Amino acid sequence: SQELEQSPQSLIVQEGKNLTINCTSSKTLYGLYWYKQKYGEGLIFLMMLQKGGEEKSHEKITAKLDEKKQQSSLHITASQPSHAGIYLCGAPRGEYGNKLVFGAGTILRVKS
Amino acid sequence: GAGVSQSPSNKVTEKGKDVELRCDPISGHTALYWYRQSLGQGLEFLIYFQGNSAPDKSGLPSDRFSAERTGGSVSTLTIQRTQQEDSAVYLCASTHQFFGPGTRLTVL
């Protein structure tokens, strides 16, 4: 199994609905990155969480880090077609946290 | 530049040929990472450069893969004697894990 498990693997939501994507680690989390990717394109940085209990928001996207549960959640409010894509979480690993391990991604489709 | 740039954006090659992929990090960023994204394996770390320190090559899948970073800026990832399983998107990131658009490599 993967070190970072994302759920769900995919989801389809109606435009305007809220949704949550989870990222659960099998190891201690020392931080967590969230990215969005459109097919065939690079990763767009969304936000980075560094401390347990930290919560960040950007436009309609909010992410939280729960250190105790070794989990992060990404919440999108009032989804729009522009939110469609693949959402990836990445956790720092290595002696100095100098590389990321990634989850398999969550594919989001937003129906108009 | 304003962001991480990579070239070429697409590369098609024949099995057994060597390829070079280029990454231009954000100006002033001292860290540079190479990752690979493939259907079967997801996103995997390959190699990490930090300033003048010895690179962390722990993610390179075989000795056919090598990378250089000249002058602390531009990096080149070289794959020798390419195999079909090398087909993937090769992504570069600089400090704070800001990613470039990637190079899609297809080995026929």
Side-chain angles (χ1 to χ4, degrees):
Chain A
S1 63
Q2 288 214 307
E3 190 175 318
L4 288 182
E5 294 281 351
Q6 286 188 237
S7 62
Q9 289 184 328
S10 65
L11 74 162
I12 303 172
V13 299
Q14 191 68 40
E15 182 176 357
K17 295 293 186 185
N18 303 336
L19 64 107
T20 299
I21 298 168
N22 291 307
C23 176
T24 303
S25 174
S26 59
K27 298 182 179 180
T28 302
L29 280 174
Y30 297 104
L32 202 287
Y33 290 74
W34 282 102
Y35 294 90
K36 178 185 170 187
Q37 186 178 33
K38 296 271 194 184
Y39 178 75
E41 298 179 12
L43 274 64
I44 300 167
F45 172 84
L46 294 177
M47 52 194 87
M48 180 184 70
L49 304 165
Q50 288 183 292
K51 296 177 288 189
E54 187 173 15
E55 179 175 322
K56 286 187 177 178
S57 292
H58 177 68
E59 298 180 343
K60 294 186 177 179
I61 301 176
T62 300
K64 300 179 189 178
L65 177 61
D66 187 330
E67 252 179 3
K68 291 179 182 176
K69 290 184 180 178
Q70 296 180 177
Q71 184 179 75
S72 177
S73 60
L74 185 87
H75 184 78
I76 299 178
T77 305
S79 59
Q80 300 169 354
S82 60
H83 287 127
I86 302 169
Y87 288 81
L88 290 149
C89 62
R93 291 290 184 246
E95 188 176 355
Y96 303 105
N98 58 358
K99 51 193 161 188
L100 296 181
V101 292
F102 285 89
T106 295
I107 301 170
L108 171 63
R109 282 182 54 198
V110 180
K111 292 194 300 184
S112 302
Chain B
V4 179
S5 59
Q6 292 186 245
S7 60
S9 54
N10 278 285
K11 176 73 177 178
V12 180
T13 190
E14 292 179 349
K15 179 180 170 182
K17 300 280 188 185
D18 297 352
V19 295
E20 284 190 352
L21 312 179
R22 177 188 167 110
C23 172
D24 222 319
I26 294 171
S27 179
H29 281 198
T30 58
L32 188 148
Y33 309 80
W34 282 99
Y35 291 86
R36 176 171 73 171
Q37 188 176 34
S38 55
L39 277 176
Q41 302 297 323
L43 240 169
E44 308 169 282
F45 166 81
L46 296 177
I47 187 169
Y48 161 65
F49 295 91
Q50 175 60 59
N52 296 321
S53 303
D56 177 352
K57 304 179 183 180
S58 59
L60 295 179
S62 78
D63 58 10
R64 296 187 295 104
F65 288 72
S66 62
E68 286 186 341
R69 189 177 184 194
T70 53
S73 180
V74 172
S75 176
T76 303
L77 178 70
T78 301
I79 308 173
Q80 295 178 309
R81 305 180 303 282
T82 52
Q83 304 294 313
Q84 287 184 329
E85 61 262 28
D86 298 336
S87 296
V89 176
Y90 289 81
L91 292 155
C92 174
S94 65
T95 304
H96 305 308
Q97 306 281 0
F98 291 124
F99 281 77
T103 293
R104 180 173 296 278
L105 174 66
T106 303
V107 182
L108 302 176

